[in-house]
Amino acid sequence: MTVSAPALEEGLGAIVGPGHVTAQSAALSTVSIDGRPPRWIASPGSTDEVSRILALCSTEKLAVSPRGRGSATDLGNPPRRLDLVIDLARLTAVLDYVPEDMVATVQAGCILEGLGSVFGKHAQMLALDPHAGQSRTVGGVLATNASGPSRFRYGTGRDLLLGARFVQADGTVTWGGAKVVKSVTGYDIPKLLVGSLGTLGLIVEATLRLHPVPPDTGSWLVVFDENERAGDFLSAILASTLEPDRLAWLNDGALRRLGQPPAAAALCVSIRTVAKAVTSQGAALAALSEQSGGKARALPAELWTKLGGALVAPLVLKVAGEIRRQSRWAAEVEHRASRQDLSAAIVGEAGNGVFRAALTGTIEPDIFGRELVTPLREALREEGGSLVVERAPRLLKDAADVWGPVPEAALGVMRRLKSEFDPLGILNPGRFVGGL
């Protein structure tokens, strides 16, 4: 028998407390996904409350979407259904921190900036710097596998996640992974959760690997008057003995948005190590840039935290291709965007072959799919690359699959996993790859 809406709201309130559930339209509109508001928002204060909420939703077959700070709700297909948003912002405890082991277990709602203050007291850091900034939550960064320039040395959340406690669709609380850096036991379920957009389970706790804060840092901006020269410089860095920890590709549009002098392309490079090595590697970097036709100058360290500002736009594409062809793909995106009178600001994780293009202007949905997304995907496929529409208005999402095609064999595995973890299909239905 179907339970009435007032009874469901009462049931949610009984779990989280009446002050932590709402059905007010003004509040619901602030958490809508692609224009679809939920029927309720519930804010649990513990893992047990998350479990009881999902058990209730499973019984009533309510569609659920988890939420951190809402920084990445544009990612994914429009939801097929949406009944309840579970706001994890109250889960903010640091549950365990062992500086000697450089490992910490934190709740999903912890903010990166706050964790930076906690770990910084022991000269340690969580090496995650997503472009949306340090205001993002740990759970949100993991669910979307968000990354930034530090990915070059430290990897993404998938690389830093040692273990996770998560709640399955039926309310079952499960732990997977380890609480130490060196462990090879069992299946690595937590890594399945990273980037799954909450479609397999809700991460409520994460055990994370930390790194020491380097004693000294040097940052440089190397500008070029030709894309190809910037590409050559990137290849030269990767082939050298230099050890940068962050590499970011910027096109002219991004440079202008960041208040930097115009140039065809530029690379931001940082080296973080002992002071003597920073100085010597900085000199080597400058010499290498001259050989490639670039001009290097010191870069204010705070610019690294502002790169995401260049990507503020209603339309953002994420392109992944062969690392040494970064200049080619950046130029291709700029060319195709300009043919549609769109301007492009490109910020790349240059050492990983990934960049994001923020496009501004107006484009018709059919042209977006036919002239921009489809030909780029076909060209990228030749080298195993991909294009994901990370942010777009609903009409553009309807015109082009935001995730792009996935080989049938891989999609079959993902369907079986989804069926195993969420047989009723209540977790973020429709938003992930292949409409999962």
Side-chain angles (χ1 to χ4, degrees):
M1 182 176 68
T2 303
V3 178
S4 68
L8 285 170
E9 184 175 342
E10 185 177 339
L12 291 168
I15 295 172
V16 300
H20 298 295
V21 61
T22 182
Q24 295 181 356
S25 58
L28 300 180
S29 65
T30 64
V31 300
S32 64
I33 301 174
D34 291 314
R36 182 191 289 270
R39 299 162 70 189
W40 306 279
I41 305 169
S43 304
S46 68
T47 296
D48 179 65
E49 291 182 1
V50 176
S51 170
R52 292 166 61 194
I53 289 173
L54 283 179
L56 174 62
C57 290
S58 178
T59 300
E60 300 302 327
K61 298 182 176 58
L62 301 178
V64 173
S65 180
R67 177 184 172 91
R69 294 296 294 269
S71 304
T73 53
D74 290 314
L75 179 63
N77 295 313
R80 276 198 302 272
R81 299 186 294 129
L82 180 60
D83 295 305
L84 174 68
V85 164
I86 298 181
D87 184 348
L88 299 171
R90 292 176 65 203
L91 302 182
T92 58
V94 177
L95 301 173
D96 189 26
Y97 175 30
V98 184
E100 294 78 12
D101 294 339
M102 290 197 290
V103 170
T105 298
V106 305
Q107 289 188 309
C110 285
I111 304 296
L112 295 182
E113 186 176 23
L115 292 178
S117 299
V118 174
F119 304 145
K121 295 175 182 174
H122 296 274
Q124 295 179 359
M125 64 179 185
L126 175 60
L128 292 173
D129 56 352
H131 289 301
Q134 293 296 297
S135 63
R136 292 200 61 178
T137 63
V138 167
V141 171
L142 294 175
T144 57
N145 200 24
S147 60
S150 291
R151 175 181 182 168
F152 182 65
R153 171 174 287 184
Y154 302 103
T156 67
R158 183 172 283 127
D159 302 294
L160 301 178
L161 181 66
L162 300 175
R165 192 177 307 281
F166 62 100
V167 185
Q168 295 181 235
D170 64 355
T172 301
V173 179
T174 304
W175 164 263
K179 293 196 173 184
V180 294
V181 173
K182 292 183 178 179
S183 174
V184 294
T185 58
Y187 296 106
D188 205 343
I189 299 297
K191 290 199 171 25
L192 279 178
L193 302 176
V194 178
S196 67
L197 219 58
T199 56
L200 298 178
L202 271 62
I203 297 173
V204 289
E205 296 175 14
T207 297
L208 299 156
R209 178 182 182 181
L210 308 178
H211 287 84
V213 175
D216 197 17
T217 302
S219 295
W220 296 266
L221 180 69
V222 187
V223 299
F224 297 86
D225 55 11
E226 295 179 16
N227 250 0
E228 292 76 10
R229 289 182 180 274
D232 292 342
F233 178 56
L234 173 60
S235 296
I237 291 177
L238 297 176
S240 73
T241 57
L242 294 173
E243 297 181 344
D245 65 333
R246 290 177 291 187
L247 282 172
W249 178 286
L250 304 176
N251 77 336
D252 185 57
L255 286 168
R256 292 174 186 271
R257 285 190 172 200
L258 295 169
Q260 298 298 312
L267 276 170
C268 298
V269 186
S270 83
I271 294 171
R272 291 192 283 185
T273 179
V274 296
K276 187 175 181 180
V278 169
T279 301
S280 63
Q281 290 201 47
L285 182 76
L288 197 62
S289 67
E290 288 183 9
Q291 294 171 18
S292 300
K295 297 178 181 177
R297 61 181 174 83
L299 180 72
E302 58 267 24
L303 189 68
W304 288 105
T305 64
K306 298 178 179 177
L307 295 181
L311 296 175
V312 177
L315 177 55
V316 176
L317 309 180
K318 178 183 177 182
V319 175
E322 207 282 319
I323 295 174
R324 287 175 172 77
R325 301 187 74 196
Q326 182 105 156
S327 63
R328 190 268 197 204
W329 291 119
E332 182 71 16
V333 170
E334 287 179 305
H335 171 65
R336 289 190 174 275
S338 67
R339 287 174 58 183
Q340 307 304 326
D341 291 329
L342 300 173
S343 63
I346 293 177
V347 178
E349 295 160 28
N352 300 94
V354 175
F355 68 81
R356 289 170 175 79
L359 307 180
T360 53
T362 303
I363 186 170
E364 294 298 322
D366 60 328
I367 296 175
F368 173 65
R370 187 180 67 240
E371 302 294 334
L372 199 60
V373 174
T374 298
L376 283 169
R377 279 179 174 158
E378 290 177 350
L380 285 159
R381 190 184 305 133
E382 296 175 4
E383 59 183 56
S386 64
L387 183 152
V388 173
V389 181
E390 282 204 334
R391 187 186 309 141
R394 173 65 188 263
L395 288 176
L396 298 188
K397 285 189 173 185
D398 289 340
D401 178 3
V402 301
W403 298 104
V406 176
E408 190 55 39
L411 188 57
V413 172
M414 297 166 80
R415 287 190 180 118
R416 290 196 293 276
L417 284 169
K418 176 68 172 177
S419 177
E420 183 71 23
F421 282 84
D422 180 21
L424 297 177
I426 66 168
L427 299 179
N428 253 340
R431 296 190 64 202
F432 197 45
V433 175
L436 294 174

